[in-house]
Amino acid sequence: MALFLVHRYAGDEEGEQEDQSQVLLQQLQERAKARQLQKQQQGQPISTELTKQENEVSELNSEKESKQVTKKRKRRSSDGSPCIEGQRKQNRQLQVDGKERPEEEDDSTRSRTPKSRRKSKMPPRRTEPGSDGSSENHLDNSCMAAGGREDSSKTREKESQRREEQKMLNQKGILPSSDVIILGSSHRKVVQKVQPFLPQWLAQPKVIQKRIKENLIPLQDIPEIHSKLKKKLQANGIEALFPVQAEVIPAILESVSSGFLAPRSGYQPCDICVSAPTGSGKTLAFVIPVVQALLERVICQVRALAVLPTKELVQQVTKVFNIYTDGTGLKVVQLSGQKSFEKEQESLTEKTLAGFHSLADIVVATPGRLVDHLQRSPQFNLRELRFLIIDEADRMIDNMHQDWLSQVLKAVYGAEEGTGPGRLFRRAAQEPITAARAFCPQIPLQKLLFSATLSRDPEKLQQLGLYKPRLFTSVYSKTQSDDTEAQQEKKYTLPEGLSQYYVPCNLRSKPLFLLHFLLRMKFSRVLCFTNSKETSHRLFLLIRAFGGVNVAEFSSRLSPGERKRTLKEFEQGKIQLLISTDATARGLDIGGVKYVISYDAPQFIRTYIHRVGRTARAGRAGLAFTMLLKVQERKFLKMLKEAGLPELEQQLVNSESLKPLLHQYEEALAELQNIVKEERVMKRF
Ligand SMILES: Nc1ncnc2c1ncn2[C@@H]1O[C@H](COP(=O)(O)OP(=O)(O)OP(=O)(O)O)[C@@H](O)[C@H]1O
């Protein structure tokens, strides 16, 4: 554009200048040619040379431009042409406004963005038809109209001459080729799309069958499991293992085949990651091998630590560990804040004449409480830890509460770096085996990760410092075996027995729809999710005020004791409808949940997967309904599609069937208002 301007206003003197530039350009071309030849003989890559040439050419061009623009300015000021006068007036106006800018910026900056034009309070400029829309051009055109017409033929001539020159330079390779990007130029290099590249262990996992019922493995077909534990499994009604258990249990047991203290053949065991649908039996997949590995321990020390995100999950997993350690002498301790801190300390260690000794072989903890004990219970140590189980691993990665993992690793490997002979025998983090390390085998630490929505993002998993990990996953489907693209897109799987629906509704009709499901369609054992504890509470009050439904709420509004009691009653079938926040969405194994209703649409795909996973567990059937407002439909269904989940069926509710509920519903709404007012008053006192 600058060149264009320069040529348009070039007078006779400028013609001379132009000729000089021409000579200079030619000299440059010749010099560049000579240098190119010289370099080629010396074997230097031509690209560097080209860059130099380009720099020289652009220097020359800018030099040429600046000289000509200066001349043009001089000429304009002496001219006193109307358009320049107008421009001067505008500049003066800007000075009055106190928004003066350096002159060089004037037109170019103002014309570049309409925003800046607005700021300077200048009237918008009309763009000439056929112009490129820039005000520079516009100004030029108007100036030409005012007095520069006689120059136009000269200008056109020079423009075509310039084009010729440029063409020549291009042909000779002096001007940049199309794949060289010049800042500010309109040339764009086509950027190649980066293809995601997964490490081999993530790209080629061990595939686990998703269908539970068709793939049960009888206990006798798994010789690795100890007969004692088989008996326990049978006593608990388990005659066959689920696919995830049949794959993962032997894999973990393999790493302890020469005893849990010594690594097999001196090698560190691989860490294990498991991604299998909700309700597929992941808990037993770690409980059984860990208990079996510790069956022969002599001294009680903390050998296994399971970390879970909530108190309820800690209780649930502790319960399962207790069932399978019963009668083995192994001790399980939970740290979740269910008991007082001092009571938990007492359950961890005991003072004897010889000092403190551990009362726990297996610790099940929430990350927060665990860190509290690592920092404030001096007798609690993890120096003998063999298994670190991270359940709901994706959630635990997202929420590295109090940096719990590095605190655990510090407690395992010790913080200080010693130099004495003792250093040789100190536990060291997993690293490649060396001759020196082979002489002093150490207890290995093996990480076991479990989730229904385990991240496949290597960057996220990296945070866990996994050692030669192995992935077991059921994210695949038979029909897609020859459709690799579809397989790649599939990120999560849902239980086979789950039927999913969405219910189009509006804000006002939502509670009525819920009542319709409960009272007219006779849904029972319903777990209903909302997105906040406030919504949960109000919906609970409204349904209770309506009457006819045995309803309860579950959220952080309740004390831990109340929460425990509520869950028990719901499991016993005493509660028809449990309205809950996402506190119950993950991991909880509540027997007999038939229906899951998302009263509020979940915002994240993982939340949806865990919510609906509270039903259709262990190969059973279950139904999930999601209430969607019109504005939510597209985004929500797209989210499911992108995750590779099957399409949801639509469940329509006939408005006629809601009419009989309306009168009572209005009364319940009025009652709700009164209750909310009363609660507000109570809160103030
Ligand atoms: N082999 C088995 N045979 C019969 N039932 C089993 C078997 N294994 C596990 N179960 C039962 O299946 C249910 C779900 O198991 P579990 O809670 O371990 O699932 P999960 O995969 O951890 O689910 P989530 O991802 O939701 O935490 C439990 O009630 C459990 O007792």
Side-chain angles (χ1 to χ4, degrees), residues 556-569:
S556 57
R557 283 176 58 91
L558 273 63
S559 68
E562 284 172 325
R563 283 159 69 149
K564 199 172 171 181
R565 201 180 52 243
T566 307
L567 281 182
K568 199 172 171 188
E569 285 180 2

Side-chain angles (χ1 to χ4, degrees), residues 488-499:
Q488 273 167 8
E489 279 169 18
K490 210 167 162 67
K491 291 179 190 157
Y492 305 107
T493 45
L494 291 170
E496 279 296 299
L498 182 74
S499 308

